[in-house]
Amino acid sequence: MKSFEEAKARLESAGQSHVLRFWSELSAEQRVTFLEELSQLDPEELSRHCRTAVEAASLQSSDGERLDAHMEPVPPEFIGSVRKSDQQTLKEWEDEGFLQIAQSKVAVLLLAGGQGTRLGVPYPKGMYNVGLPSGKTLYQIQAERIRKVQELSSVKYDSQCTVPWYIMTSEFTLEPTEKFFKENNYFGLEPSDVVMFEQRMIPAVGFDSKIMLEKKNKLALAPDGNGGLYRALVDNKILEDMERRGVQFIHVYCVDNILVKMADPVFIGFCVKNGADCGAKVVEKAYPAEPVGVVCRVDGVYQVVEYSELKPELAEQRHPGGELVYSAGNICNHFFTRDFLSNVAHTFEGKLKQHVAIKKVPFVDEEGNLVKPTKPNGIKMEKFVFDVFQFSKKFVAFEVVREDEFSPLKNADGAPVDTPTTVRRSLSAQHYRWAVQAGAHFLDADGNPITTKHRTAQDMVPPALCEISPLVSYFGEGLDMLKQKNLKSPFFLNEKNVMSLVEHS
Ligand code: UTP
């Protein structure tokens, strides 16, 4: 559909012809791009979308009652735990994970199509420099972890291997992300092993069931949520690409978690050894009202119940030992087999729940003025990546230690949690622990020993500023060169200065 008449007819049948109201004012070029955009809309799908959005917005939060009576925690036999497992078991999982990686059967898939509105920078969140001594961005940290996990697996099993990196982007993030990777030589990865693809965008809908214009020749569109992954896999033939490469297991994660363990061998190994087709990493909830979703069962079916849906009485329920009953906090870190992804993408995608967000959507009014609303005025529909647990034949949860695995960047500095400062501290605290475990001592700027007495892992500010490049250590291994060393804070260990420390060991 590239003609005006065709576009008009299709929009009329969907009850949305108002978006052509400024047609006579558009230049020839603007008309071409607008028609291109409109050609993506299917009239039936569009009217269904508008209807569902308004209905869903009016029904919002009526799920609470239903959930309460039918919820139960994940049964213990389906949860693995780093904290509660012995070293031998953890080692077995890790070996299995490394083996699968060494055979090039594991890929990582990054969800990076979000708009990052809370952080508020005008570029993709992965390009954010969180202020570490190295100045590395989230994308660089993640790329280097892939390089390291490939290297560790290759050395362990004496075979060259590749962990392909699939990156789901959106209209907002594709171009700048591609450019950034090119400018940085893909951070040392093979460019053909970094596969970027785009998720769909869908129109924001007003409370009157009408889609909105962001400009006179542009619809107000938003990405279809991180659950848009499943459609995007089909649209972009990503499953075929995975099959061609022999990928069987996929580790899916969010861009903002600075501690993410790319293709974590322990998690992969745990899931593979348990024959799971779908797995979720979880962390113990910090406190009952913590705003994270809870992995649990509802009517025997696995799902994530959002914190807003969980009544305080349930959130506060505890086992006799004091642990929260609903403690499995979802951190958007998943394991899928390729077969499972294919099944979901081809068979179940249409059954995924539509989540509603009522947002402030800037729009062009009837007179053609751009309005920045002060109150929410539009409905955005999103699908969530975790809504597929219900289709799993063998679901497992894997509880990991928060301090080692989860610290997301959501907000700008000034907010109380999940800011550049808090993620920087989390990383530094972890690397400080690794160095101390390896036998290092830290000194302050005046050369006095930094004492860690009375500190706990939960302390917000790490005793010393410490950064260890992922190219040197993936999860704290291989740091023997730090034994008995006095390290001055801030300390940054990278693949260049590591040699001088080795020589002086
Ligand atoms: P968030 O829900 O934190 O959203 O996304 P966001 O867009 O990053 O930030 P806000 O809410 O606008 O401040 C969690 C993860 O899901 C991805 C994000 O990129 C992030 O990795 N995501 C989100 C997508 O890939 N696509 C989407 O449509 C939405």
Side-chain angles (χ1 to χ4, degrees), residues 407-461:
S407 181
L409 175 62
K410 297 283 183 196
N411 306 308
D413 268 328
V417 290
D418 304 341
T419 62
T421 302
T422 62
V423 302
R424 193 166 58 240
R425 284 175 178 163
S426 306
L427 190 90
S428 187
Q430 183 189 51
H431 291 185
Y432 171 84
R433 292 195 296 276
W434 291 355
V436 170
Q437 266 160 26
H441 306 287
F442 278 84
L443 306 176
D444 65 18
D446 302 323
N448 300 315
I450 293 176
T451 156
T452 53
K453 254 193 282 170
H454 312 306
R455 299 199 77 95
T456 68
Q458 277 79 32
D459 272 351
M460 283 296 289
V461 186

Side-chain angles (χ1 to χ4, degrees), residues 116-222:
T117 44
R118 285 169 286 174
L119 183 62
V121 289
Y123 50 81
K125 217 189 255 189
M127 287 166 55
Y128 194 82
N129 165 356
V130 297
L132 291 164
S134 65
K136 285 179 191 172
T137 58
L138 292 172
Y139 281 149
Q140 181 168 1
I141 294 171
Q142 293 167 20
E144 292 183 352
R145 287 190 188 140
I146 295 179
R147 284 173 61 189
K148 190 65 180 177
V149 83
Q150 286 178 166
E151 180 197 311
L152 292 173
S153 312
S154 297
V155 169
K156 190 173 171 67
Y157 287 101
D158 196 19
S159 74
Q160 271 309 309
C161 69
T162 303
V163 177
W165 191 7
Y166 295 94
I167 304 183
M168 184 173 82
T169 58
S170 65
E171 190 180 289
F172 298 110
T173 57
L174 179 62
E175 238 180 73
T177 301
E178 271 178 346
K179 188 159 168 272
F180 190 64
F181 273 71
K182 274 193 197 124
E183 281 166 3
N184 288 284
N185 290 324
Y186 290 77
F187 305 104
L189 289 164
E190 188 56 51
S192 61
D193 295 330
V194 181
V195 181
M196 294 183 198
F197 60 103
E198 212 175 325
Q199 68 179 107
R200 291 193 199 177
M201 304 286 285
I202 49 174
V205 182
F207 299 132
D208 57 357
S209 291
K210 300 283 185 226
I211 57 176
M212 298 185 214
L213 286 174
E214 175 187 292
K215 290 186 198 158
K216 288 181 179 176
N217 65 326
K218 179 142 192 27
L219 301 175
L221 298 173

Side-chain angles (χ1 to χ4, degrees), residues 110-120 125 168-170 199-200 222-228 253-256 332 359 382-384 409-411:
L110 165 60
L111 303 168
Q115 292 173 278
T117 44
R118 285 169 286 174
L119 183 62
K125 217 189 255 189
M168 184 173 82
T169 58
S170 65
Q199 68 179 107
R200 291 193 199 177
D224 56 353
N226 57 24
Y253 71 100
C254 290
V255 70
D256 48 29
C332 193
K359 301 251 174 157
E382 289 192 327
K383 290 184 175 174
F384 290 167
L409 175 62
K410 297 283 183 196
N411 306 308

Side-chain angles (χ1 to χ4, degrees), residues 292-349:
V292 294
V294 169
V295 179
C296 61
R297 291 208 296 201
V298 178
D299 289 330
V301 176
Y302 287 101
Q303 69 173 65
V304 174
V305 168
E306 290 178 78
Y307 64 93
S308 52
E309 294 171 356
L310 190 60
K311 289 247 177 74
E313 305 86 87
L314 276 189
E316 279 157 24
Q317 252 181 33
R318 289 182 189 271
H319 290 298
E323 284 186 1
L324 291 173
V325 171
Y326 294 102
S327 68
N330 180 43
I331 58 170
C332 193
N333 212 304
H334 307 305
F335 166 93
F336 299 121
T337 60
R338 193 187 77 231
D339 288 346
F340 177 76
L341 277 184
S342 173
N343 216 3
V344 169
H346 292 115
T347 316
F348 298 118
E349 199 283 329

